[in-house]
Amino acid sequence: MNVENYRSPKKGKKKLVLKTGVRSFINRILMVMVLFLMSLILIKSNTNFKNNIIKYVYEDNLKFTKLKSIYEKYFGKILSIDKVAPKEEAVFSEKLEYKKSNVYKDGVLLTVNQNYLVPTLESGIVVFMGEKKEYGTTIIIEQVDGIDVWYSNIKSNDIKMYDYIEKGSLIGETNGEKLYMVFQKDGAYLDYKKYL
C-alpha cells in the first residue's frame, strides 16, 4: 500500500459529505418548488381549494410557528447555520419584572419602571405591529406554543414583521410606566395569571 492510497479515503469522505449536503439542500429546494407549483395549479383549477386557501390564510389567523415546525419535521432546517456560524451571545436576556398588575379590558395592565425595557416571555414570530385602540402601539408575537401575546404601549426596538424573536430578547421600551399585555389563542382571550 503506497502513501497516496492511504490518504485518499479521508479526502473522499470530505467530498462525499459535501456532495451529500449539497444534494440534500437542492432536493429540499426542489421539493418546496414542486409543492408551491402544485398549490398554484390547484388554486387556479379548483374553486373550493382556492376558497379554503383564502379562508385559512387571509381570513383566519395563520400560525407561522406551526408551519415552521411541520416544515422542519419533514424537511429539516433550510440551512444548517448553527454548524457554520458561531453562536452569538445575547447582550439582553431578561425576565419580565413589574411592580403591580391590574385587570385591563381583555388582558392586564402592568406597572413597571419608567421606560422599562420589555423582554419577550417566550420565543416566537412577530405577526402584528401597529396601533390597537385603547392599548397604543402594539407588537403581537405568536409564541412557539401557539399563544399570541400582545405587548402594548411600547416603542419598538428595530424589530420587523415576521422576525423570529428568542425568549428574553428585547422588544422595545414602554412609554412611561404602563405595559399592557393580552394573551390570546384561537380567538379566545386567556387568563394572564397563568402566563406571568
Side-chain angles (χ1 to χ4, degrees):
M1 178 189 248
N2 62 26
V3 176
E4 289 177 16
N5 289 337
Y6 180 72
R7 290 184 183 167
S8 62
K10 287 185 179 179
K11 290 180 183 178
K13 270 187 176 177
K14 288 181 182 178
K15 286 182 181 178
L16 181 63
V17 169
L18 182 62
K19 284 182 181 178
T20 305
V22 169
R23 267 193 214 131
S24 174
F25 180 70
I26 290 172
N27 285 340
R28 289 178 187 175
I29 289 176
L30 290 174
M31 185 62 109
V32 169
M33 289 173 61
V34 166
L35 291 172
F36 180 72
L37 290 173
M38 286 174 54
S39 298
L40 289 178
I41 291 168
L42 281 171
I43 288 171
K44 188 75 173 172
S45 63
N46 188 333
T47 309
N48 289 335
F49 186 77
K50 180 179 179 180
N51 291 338
N52 284 335
I53 292 291
I54 290 170
K55 180 182 180 213
Y56 292 115
V57 174
Y58 293 108
E59 294 173 5
D60 291 349
N61 189 7
L62 179 65
K63 301 292 183 190
F64 290 102
T65 51
K66 286 183 183 175
L67 289 176
K68 180 179 178 271
S69 63
I70 290 170
Y71 181 85
E72 287 181 355
K73 178 180 175 184
Y74 292 107
F75 301 111
K77 294 192 177 192
I78 294 175
L79 292 174
S80 302
I81 293 176
D82 296 342
K83 296 176 185 173
V84 178
K87 288 271 186 189
E88 292 182 11
E89 294 296 320
V91 176
F92 181 89
S93 182
E94 299 290 328
K95 290 186 177 181
L96 182 67
E97 295 177 1
Y98 55 92
K99 297 174 185 173
K100 66 178 184 174
S101 62
N102 297 313
V103 175
Y104 180 82
K105 305 248 178 239
D106 299 315
V108 61
L109 165 60
L110 301 176
T111 304
V112 293
N113 292 329
Q114 184 77 21
N115 300 328
Y116 177 69
L117 300 176
V118 181
T120 55
L121 296 177
E122 286 294 332
S123 300
I125 295 175
V126 177
V127 293
F128 177 86
M129 294 181 75
E131 291 292 317
K132 289 277 190 185
K133 189 175 180 181
E134 299 181 28
Y135 288 97
T137 305
T138 301
I139 296 174
I140 299 178
I141 296 180
E142 182 186 310
Q143 298 180 158
V144 291
D145 58 6
I147 296 173
D148 294 339
V149 180
W150 301 18
Y151 299 87
S152 299
N153 192 37
I154 62 174
K155 295 177 256 181
S156 172
N157 183 43
D158 299 327
I159 55 177
K160 298 177 249 6
M161 283 290 289
Y162 309 117
D163 277 355
Y164 183 79
I165 309 294
E166 292 287 340
K167 179 179 181 176
S169 297
L170 176 66
I171 301 173
E173 70 178 68
T174 58
N175 287 317
E177 298 178 344
K178 294 179 181 177
L179 172 64
Y180 302 105
M181 294 186 74
V182 176
F183 300 85
Q184 187 178 21
K185 185 169 185 176
D186 298 327
Y189 294 103
L190 307 174
D191 183 8
Y192 72 89
K193 293 173 188 167
K194 295 179 183 177
Y195 304 101
L196 291 182

